[in-house]
Amino acid sequence: MKKYFLRRESSGLKLSYEKELNKEQYAVVMHRDGPMLVLAGAGTGKTRTVTYRVARLIETGIRPENILLLTFTNKAAKEMMRRVDLLIGRNIRGLMGGTFHHIGNMILRRHCLLLGYKQGFSILDREDSKDLFDICLGEIKKRESVLPKGSVLCDMYSLTKNKESSVEEIVPLYFPHFNNVIYEIEQVTTLYDKKKHALNLMDFDDLLTNWKSLLLEHENIREDYSAKFMQVLVDEYQDTNKLQAEIVDLLSDTNRNLMVVGDDAQSIYSFRGADFENILKFPERYPNVTVFNLTTNYRSTPEILRLANKSIIHNIRQFHKELNSVKDPGNMPSLVPLRDIFQQADFVAQKILDINADGITLNDIAVLYRSHYQSMELQMELQRRGIPFEVRSGLKFFEQAHIKDILSFLRVVINPFDELSWKRIVKLIPGIGNITAAKLWDSISRSESPLDAIVGMGRLVPKKALDGFSLFLALLNILRNRDYSNSPLQPSAAIDHILRQGYEDYLYNHYPNAEERIQDIEQMTGFALKYTSLETFVSELSLQSVSGGEAGEGEDERECVILSTVHQAKGLEWNTVFIIGLNDGRFPSVRSLKTEYEEEERRLFYVAVTRAKDDLCLCYPFTSEEWSGLGFSRPSRFIRELPEDVYEEVVIKEIDGIY
């Protein structure tokens, strides 16, 4: 085993740590050795603390090559190391910093022969992995029509690796739609692993699993790296999964100088495999740990932090701490009950205009929500008013593939000569591709009634696609109102029929986030309640999809309001933040109610609140329009459990659209 010795160097620069850090940060930076758990609350200068800690280690004689800095983005690691360079006045080349996958790749390049790989192995990106899964699906002939596609299998496989679980354990919890084909999925994933190894390929998950295998199976390698890394620092530790935490433990085994930095109150990524237990039980794994709290917040006003503190206190499983603001007192957070989602959109849009008129730039205003579908009405209202916006939670509503699919079904009913829509929807049928779609269109376009002609086109359809084609014809029959002679089919009912008569299964088979896409469509179904004419509904939505709110050529840098899910907003901040859709079943999500995930949802609410610097507005509609009817919607429990003295309730009086 190699031996590594501490090198003492005299530096020409001695940093004034006491002047440049607050007391909490200073205690972390100056701590000597041993395991450290740094609970860094939102806006408390976590990056500054880690940067100064690295600088301090180097200044006291630790060689850069004996330090390992693990982050969740390579950008974060580079920025931290750049700051350290500036602090100590010299290059710190040799310090190993980056994401888990980046560091894993570097180490595996040196030792891949020990794991049965050849030198120069290739790394599969997600698209490559999807394609390889699709190849494997083609070789597993049994029941292939009901198996998930490659993109879904990628997510399944990744969860099994990062949670160190089996397909049999993962599918019922995260992909219950495929409970009846677990055995076939196991066959596909086994074949996928064999092909990767035979082709000298690793995917992103292999970079972690093989790294861990290397450390466990080769004691000399483990001891060498564990001795080499005299100081290990891990950022965003609350977001690590079980596999990553075990790798960190193995690398820290010799020196035990491990500093993990994170905030249990901001652990919100369990759906990606992050394990909350890693940070919660860190003191159990390292009994001699020194725990530090960073609670001095430089971002938000005292009023916003008081609301955040009063919310997160309801979580039982946590390290209790309270954030304290250094800012002067400001405005009380606003709580705004609204009639429905349409009044909510109208109110937020008007307030954005008012705030902007008062001198706050649009770039410093954000609207946050639990799920992407909750932004639909707001997007339409912002477009209507010509307020530019950027959607950070995904594509704009009408740019999404599943929304285009639904509209294409409706368009062929209204305009049977719409070639693009016809080709789009027939290609949704399993077994039909571009060639068959072109043949079908060529034949039906010659008819006076393509909707009638399509019924007799089974001869052009491949045998493997005939069952799907029959279901497709049955759906078109419903949409054409052949089964409803008394009254025309309402737009909301039409959308629901498309979803339930086969398209829902299509989404589950093709997309890992099928449930989110279904929520989008259900939201559109509710919106369609305002319309009785299918033609009017489709026309207005088509106009909305190309109207205001779009950035024109050369305007990419113009001011715009940010629309984002809370998950996408973590780590960011704005002067003014609106949180919309604060109703039980929406935020918190319906799945989390009365389950172990309710506390994670409260952490998500806490993250949303702490994005605001000066002004916070909490909105909830007290009625909800589902396509089946109108109902009362309860305010979120995260609002109901707050003491009334932490917010100011605003009663809306609407006069000609002005609030």
Side-chain angles (χ1 to χ4, degrees), residues 15 17 21 25-36 38 45-60 62 67 69 80 84 87-88 95 230-234 256-261 292:
L15 295 172
Y17 295 101
L21 302 167
Q25 296 167 342
Y26 180 77
V28 173
V29 170
M30 302 305 289
H31 186 72
R32 293 185 64 83
D33 294 329
M36 304 165 62
V38 182
K46 176 197 67 173
T47 300
R48 183 178 185 83
T49 305
V50 175
T51 301
Y52 273 80
R53 173 69 178 175
V54 174
R56 177 63 180 167
L57 291 173
I58 295 172
E59 195 176 62
T60 55
I62 302 291
I67 298 173
L69 174 61
M80 287 183 188
V84 175
L87 285 174
I88 65 175
L95 190 152
M230 301 176 71
Q231 296 284 344
V232 178
L233 301 90
V234 186
R256 305 289 283 180
N257 292 326
L258 169 62
M259 179 174 111
V260 299
V261 185
F292 298 87

Side-chain angles (χ1 to χ4, degrees), residues 416-479:
F417 294 93
D418 184 336
E419 177 183 356
L420 294 177
S421 293
W422 269 114
K423 287 182 175 178
R424 186 180 187 98
I425 62 177
V426 296
K427 285 192 292 184
L428 296 174
I429 302 169
I432 291 183
N434 289 327
I435 294 174
T436 302
K439 288 180 180 177
L440 286 169
W441 169 249
D442 186 57
S443 295
I444 66 175
S445 63
R446 299 173 188 173
S447 167
E448 291 185 3
S449 175
L451 281 168
D452 288 328
I454 191 71
V455 177
M457 294 297 155
R459 68 183 187 280
L460 300 177
V461 175
K463 188 176 180 181
K464 62 182 179 180
L466 283 174
D467 288 343
F469 187 68
S470 296
L471 292 173
F472 173 77
L473 294 179
L475 173 59
L476 283 182
N477 204 39
I478 293 173
L479 296 179

